[in-house]
Amino acid sequence: MTLGGIPWQAYFQRVLSSSSATYAQVLSFLAAFGCLVMALPAVLIGAIGASTAWNDTDYGFPDPMANKEADMILPIVLQYLCPVYISFFGLGAVSAAVMSSADSSILSASSMFARNIYQLSFRQNASDREIVWVMRITVFLFGASATAMALLASSVYGLWYLSSDLVYIIIFPQLLCVLFIKGTNTYGAIAGYLFGLVLRITGGEPYLYLQPLIYYPGCYPDENNIYIQRFPFKTLAMLTSFFTNIIVSYLAKYLFESGTLPPKLDFLDAVVARYSREHMDKATLVKSDNIVLNELAPVNPRHSLTLSSTFTNKEAFSYVDSSPELSNTEDN
């Protein structure tokens, strides 16, 4: 959960919106200590729920642990151990926080889909109006999916744990490769994503009542006859995704740059610079015998420069204006 909690979209949105890199670093470290401080109330509420004699309350017997409602200990404590007004405001605050996080997550997911997947991958020339309609449709779809998950799931903590689990296996290796491994590309990222996802799904998931397809050493059935894995197959899936990303990336790079595969097969524009608009916009240097003029991608002009400011020597004009000899010559 620690490593899976790093590549979260909510965190990077705040980091990228910081005014400076120093402020982003300070904010990150303060947030780390803030999370530890904010965990204390949850620990205290859990301790209160564990030490309460529930027979003496309206909740009755058996206790929440025996009823398998330990994950609902916060609303239970607010309802049965607090006055009515405290329960009212407490549950309202929790509901407001949950709704705020839910709508921001849905809006973030829809905007990322519309921008990073729909526009960049399928419709590069899509208008702003079209992107807005795609966002509206995806908001509805993601909202319906989230509602179905909320109605079918038995634990919010289980959903959170599962999300962190998937981020750890699928996104965390990609983040490591992007930041620290030079030469990784889109082909390796896709291969690593698929390998990590397949290994994670075949390992099973007791929370979703998903039986494993691969039985690692030490697995055993629980009370619901769902096999529990003792082997660290999640870390194995993460490492497999990481090394697959590196191996496939360098293999694709070697095959294209050595000429084993023709450049036209680089359909993702990830290796060969002459077919990559992104690389051309960055003024990537290529040899004259390695590219023809009709294959050059158009380079975006620098709009901050104008013709007058580009081809005018202002120092020369200032020198002419200040020279008395040149001024007398012009007068004569």
Side-chain angles (χ1 to χ4, degrees):
M1 293 187 66
T2 302
L3 298 178
I6 295 176
W8 280 87
Q9 173 69 13
Y11 170 69
F12 281 99
Q13 280 182 330
R14 286 157 178 80
V15 169
L16 296 176
S17 63
S18 300
S19 58
S20 64
T22 303
Y23 182 75
Q25 293 174 346
V26 173
L27 182 66
S28 299
F29 285 111
L30 291 178
F33 290 103
C35 289
L36 295 177
V37 174
M38 295 303 295
L40 293 178
V43 173
L44 293 177
I45 292 175
I48 291 172
S51 60
T52 298
W54 293 101
N55 291 334
D56 299 333
T57 65
D58 294 337
Y59 185 86
F61 183 82
D63 57 14
M65 181 68 70
N67 283 337
K68 297 182 179 180
E69 294 182 346
D71 54 340
M72 302 290 293
I73 193 62
L74 173 60
I76 291 175
V77 168
L78 290 175
Q79 181 177 358
Y80 294 99
L81 301 182
C82 297
V84 177
Y85 66 94
I86 296 294
S87 176
F88 178 80
F89 285 107
L91 293 176
V94 172
S95 301
V98 170
M99 287 188 291
S100 174
S101 301
D103 62 13
S104 62
S105 299
I106 293 174
L107 181 60
S108 175
S110 61
S111 61
M112 283 193 298
F113 175 83
R115 167 63 180 168
N116 297 344
I117 298 178
Y118 181 80
Q119 185 177 19
L120 295 183
S121 301
F122 301 103
R123 292 274 296 172
Q124 290 83 2
N125 298 325
S127 62
D128 294 339
R129 181 180 179 85
E130 183 178 350
I131 297 300
V132 169
W133 273 105
V134 171
M135 288 182 59
R136 291 173 178 172
I137 295 173
T138 51
V139 163
F140 175 78
L141 295 178
F142 290 150
S145 301
T147 303
M149 292 176 63
L151 295 176
L152 298 177
S154 59
S155 171
V156 176
Y157 176 78
L159 291 176
W160 184 271
Y161 183 85
L162 184 59
S163 301
S164 181
D165 185 358
L166 294 177
V167 171
Y168 168 66
I169 295 173
I170 298 175
I171 307 299
F172 181 68
Q174 313 284 354
L175 179 65
L176 291 180
C177 291
V178 168
L179 295 180
F180 303 108
I181 308 298
K182 185 178 180 179
T184 54
N185 50 51
T186 309
Y187 299 104
I190 294 175
Y193 179 93
L194 294 177
F195 271 90
L197 182 63
V198 169
L199 287 179
R200 177 61 187 90
I201 294 176
T202 55
E205 178 53 49
Y207 177 73
L208 299 178
Y209 302 100
L210 182 63
Q211 289 282 15
L213 299 178
I214 301 176
Y215 294 90
Y216 294 93
C219 65
Y220 65 95
D222 60 1
E223 63 274 6
N224 296 323
N225 202 25
I226 303 295
Y227 279 85
I228 308 296
Q229 303 277 12
R230 289 182 176 177
F231 186 81
F233 74 99
K234 301 174 183 178
T235 300
L236 175 64
M238 186 273 293
L239 294 176
T240 304
S241 175
F242 177 70
F243 288 111
T244 301
N245 192 341
I246 298 174
I247 294 172
V248 174
S249 295
Y250 280 93
L251 179 61
K253 182 178 177 65
Y254 170 77
L255 293 176
F256 282 113
E257 292 183 350
S258 64
T260 305
L261 295 178
K264 292 184 179 181
L265 292 181
D266 185 15
F267 62 96
L268 294 178
D269 291 338
V271 179
V272 184
R274 58 178 142 183
Y275 286 98
S276 175
R277 179 183 296 270
E278 178 184 359
H279 290 174
M280 288 303 161
D281 290 342
K282 294 179 180 178
T284 302
L285 296 179
V286 294
K287 296 180 181 179
S288 58
D289 59 348
N290 208 19
I291 192 169
V292 294
L293 293 178
N294 60 1
E295 292 177 339
L296 282 171
V299 180
N300 296 328
R302 297 178 61 184
H303 300 286
S304 60
L305 299 177
T306 59
L307 291 176
S308 60
S309 62
T310 304
F311 299 102
T312 302
N313 191 338
K314 296 181 180 180
E315 295 181 359
F317 280 101
S318 63
Y319 175 75
V320 170
D321 295 336
S322 61
S323 176
E325 297 178 357
L326 295 177
S327 299
N328 295 332
T329 303
E330 291 178 357
D331 295 337
N332 293 332

